[in-house]
PDB file of all heavy atoms in Angstrom:
ATOM      1  N   PRO S 367      13.688  -7.760   8.753  1.00  0.00           N
ATOM      2  CA  PRO S 367      13.462  -9.205   8.809  1.00  0.00           C
ATOM      3  C   PRO S 367      12.059  -9.556   8.340  1.00  0.00           C
ATOM      4  O   PRO S 367      11.121  -8.777   8.508  1.00  0.00           O
ATOM      5  CB  PRO S 367      13.649  -9.535  10.295  1.00  0.00           C
ATOM      6  CG  PRO S 367      13.359  -8.255  11.015  1.00  0.00           C
ATOM      7  CD  PRO S 367      13.825  -7.158  10.100  1.00  0.00           C
ATOM      8  N   ALA S 368      11.929 -10.731   7.730  1.00  0.00           N
ATOM      9  CA  ALA S 368      10.614 -11.193   7.297  1.00  0.00           C
ATOM     10  C   ALA S 368       9.755 -11.488   8.517  1.00  0.00           C
ATOM     11  O   ALA S 368      10.258 -11.947   9.548  1.00  0.00           O
ATOM     12  CB  ALA S 368      10.749 -12.454   6.443  1.00  0.00           C
ATOM     13  N   PRO S 369       8.458 -11.213   8.446  1.00  0.00           N
ATOM     14  CA  PRO S 369       7.581 -11.500   9.599  1.00  0.00           C
ATOM     15  C   PRO S 369       7.498 -12.996   9.871  1.00  0.00           C
ATOM     16  O   PRO S 369       7.547 -13.815   8.947  1.00  0.00           O
ATOM     17  CB  PRO S 369       6.223 -10.937   9.159  1.00  0.00           C
ATOM     18  CG  PRO S 369       6.283 -10.876   7.674  1.00  0.00           C
ATOM     19  CD  PRO S 369       7.716 -10.626   7.317  1.00  0.00           C
ATOM     20  N   GLU S 370       7.374 -13.329  11.122  1.00  0.00           N
ATOM     21  CA  GLU S 370       7.253 -14.741  11.492  1.00  0.00           C
ATOM     22  C   GLU S 370       5.894 -15.282  11.038  1.00  0.00           C
ATOM     23  O   GLU S 370       4.887 -14.585  11.122  1.00  0.00           O
ATOM     24  CB  GLU S 370       7.384 -14.901  13.011  1.00  0.00           C
ATOM     25  CG  GLU S 370       8.702 -14.405  13.580  1.00  0.00           C
ATOM     26  CD  GLU S 370       9.882 -15.269  13.155  1.00  0.00           C
ATOM     27  OE1 GLU S 370       9.647 -16.364  12.599  1.00  0.00           O
ATOM     28  OE2 GLU S 370      11.025 -14.852  13.367  1.00  0.00           O
ATOM     29  N   PRO S 371       5.860 -16.531  10.531  1.00  0.00           N
ATOM     30  CA  PRO S 371       4.582 -17.091  10.049  1.00  0.00           C
ATOM     31  C   PRO S 371       3.644 -17.505  11.170  1.00  0.00           C
ATOM     32  O   PRO S 371       2.539 -17.948  10.910  1.00  0.00           O
ATOM     33  CB  PRO S 371       5.038 -18.308   9.230  1.00  0.00           C
ATOM     34  CG  PRO S 371       6.325 -18.718   9.857  1.00  0.00           C
ATOM     35  CD  PRO S 371       6.995 -17.435  10.319  1.00  0.00           C
ATOM     36  N   TRP S 372       4.101 -17.410  12.420  1.00  0.00           N
ATOM     37  CA  TRP S 372       3.234 -17.795  13.535  1.00  0.00           C
ATOM     38  C   TRP S 372       2.987 -16.584  14.437  1.00  0.00           C
ATOM     39  O   TRP S 372       3.566 -15.521  14.252  1.00  0.00           O
ATOM     40  CB  TRP S 372       3.894 -18.916  14.347  1.00  0.00           C
ATOM     41  CG  TRP S 372       5.256 -18.560  14.846  1.00  0.00           C
ATOM     42  CD1 TRP S 372       5.576 -17.845  15.960  1.00  0.00           C
ATOM     43  CD2 TRP S 372       6.505 -18.872  14.223  1.00  0.00           C
ATOM     44  NE1 TRP S 372       6.935 -17.688  16.078  1.00  0.00           N
ATOM     45  CE2 TRP S 372       7.525 -18.315  15.026  1.00  0.00           C
ATOM     46  CE3 TRP S 372       6.847 -19.568  13.062  1.00  0.00           C
ATOM     47  CZ2 TRP S 372       8.877 -18.435  14.701  1.00  0.00           C
ATOM     48  CZ3 TRP S 372       8.191 -19.687  12.747  1.00  0.00           C
ATOM     49  CH2 TRP S 372       9.177 -19.128  13.557  1.00  0.00           C
ATOM     50  N   GLY S 373       2.146 -16.751  15.407  1.00  0.00           N
ATOM     51  CA  GLY S 373       1.907 -15.686  16.370  1.00  0.00           C
ATOM     52  C   GLY S 373       0.863 -14.681  15.952  1.00  0.00           C
ATOM     53  O   GLY S 373       0.718 -13.637  16.591  1.00  0.00           O
ATOM     54  N   LEU S 374       0.113 -14.962  14.860  1.00  0.00           N
ATOM     55  CA  LEU S 374      -0.938 -14.037  14.452  1.00  0.00           C
ATOM     56  C   LEU S 374      -2.099 -14.098  15.450  1.00  0.00           C
ATOM     57  O   LEU S 374      -2.460 -15.174  15.927  1.00  0.00           O
ATOM     58  CB  LEU S 374      -1.451 -14.395  13.056  1.00  0.00           C
ATOM     59  CG  LEU S 374      -0.514 -14.114  11.887  1.00  0.00           C
ATOM     60  CD1 LEU S 374      -1.108 -14.667  10.601  1.00  0.00           C
ATOM     61  CD2 LEU S 374      -0.263 -12.622  11.752  1.00  0.00           C
ATOM     62  N   ALA S 468      10.816  -7.051  13.718  1.00  0.00           N
ATOM     63  CA  ALA S 468      10.141  -8.191  13.106  1.00  0.00           C
ATOM     64  C   ALA S 468       8.674  -7.909  12.807  1.00  0.00           C
ATOM     65  O   ALA S 468       8.050  -8.630  12.018  1.00  0.00           O
ATOM     66  CB  ALA S 468      10.262  -9.422  13.993  1.00  0.00           C
ATOM     67  N   ALA S 469       8.117  -6.877  13.432  1.00  0.00           N
ATOM     68  CA  ALA S 469       6.690  -6.570  13.243  1.00  0.00           C
ATOM     69  C   ALA S 469       6.453  -5.453  12.233  1.00  0.00           C
ATOM     70  O   ALA S 469       5.303  -5.153  11.911  1.00  0.00           O
ATOM     71  CB  ALA S 469       6.054  -6.180  14.579  1.00  0.00           C
ATOM     72  N   LEU S 471       7.151  -4.971   8.834  1.00  0.00           N
ATOM     73  CA  LEU S 471       6.565  -5.295   7.532  1.00  0.00           C
ATOM     74  C   LEU S 471       5.081  -5.610   7.657  1.00  0.00           C
ATOM     75  O   LEU S 471       4.261  -5.105   6.893  1.00  0.00           O
ATOM     76  CB  LEU S 471       7.297  -6.481   6.912  1.00  0.00           C
ATOM     77  CG  LEU S 471       8.644  -6.183   6.248  1.00  0.00           C
ATOM     78  CD1 LEU S 471       9.336  -7.475   5.859  1.00  0.00           C
ATOM     79  CD2 LEU S 471       8.453  -5.306   5.024  1.00  0.00           C
ATOM     80  N   ARG S 472       4.754  -6.434   8.640  1.00  0.00           N
ATOM     81  CA  ARG S 472       3.350  -6.809   8.827  1.00  0.00           C
ATOM     82  C   ARG S 472       2.517  -5.596   9.231  1.00  0.00           C
ATOM     83  O   ARG S 472       1.377  -5.435   8.779  1.00  0.00           O
ATOM     84  CB  ARG S 472       3.252  -7.919   9.872  1.00  0.00           C
ATOM     85  CG  ARG S 472       1.840  -8.399  10.125  1.00  0.00           C
ATOM     86  CD  ARG S 472       1.849  -9.684  10.938  1.00  0.00           C
ATOM     87  NE  ARG S 472       2.306 -10.800  10.137  1.00  0.00           N
ATOM     88  CZ  ARG S 472       2.874 -11.888  10.631  1.00  0.00           C
ATOM     89  NH1 ARG S 472       3.108 -11.987  11.918  1.00  0.00           N
ATOM     90  NH2 ARG S 472       3.217 -12.884   9.828  1.00  0.00           N
ATOM     91  N   GLU S 476      -0.589  -4.591   6.970  1.00  0.00           N
ATOM     92  CA  GLU S 476      -1.908  -4.884   7.526  1.00  0.00           C
ATOM     93  C   GLU S 476      -2.681  -3.625   7.881  1.00  0.00           C
ATOM     94  O   GLU S 476      -3.900  -3.566   7.685  1.00  0.00           O
ATOM     95  CB  GLU S 476      -1.757  -5.789   8.739  1.00  0.00           C
ATOM     96  CG  GLU S 476      -1.285  -7.190   8.363  1.00  0.00           C
ATOM     97  CD  GLU S 476      -1.090  -8.095   9.556  1.00  0.00           C
ATOM     98  OE1 GLU S 476      -1.189  -7.604  10.713  1.00  0.00           O
ATOM     99  OE2 GLU S 476      -0.831  -9.291   9.354  1.00  0.00           O
TER     100      GLU S 476
END
Side-chain angles (χ1 to χ4, degrees):
E370 300 291 349
W372 56 83
L374 289 174
L471 281 172
R472 181 168 288 154
E476 291 178 353

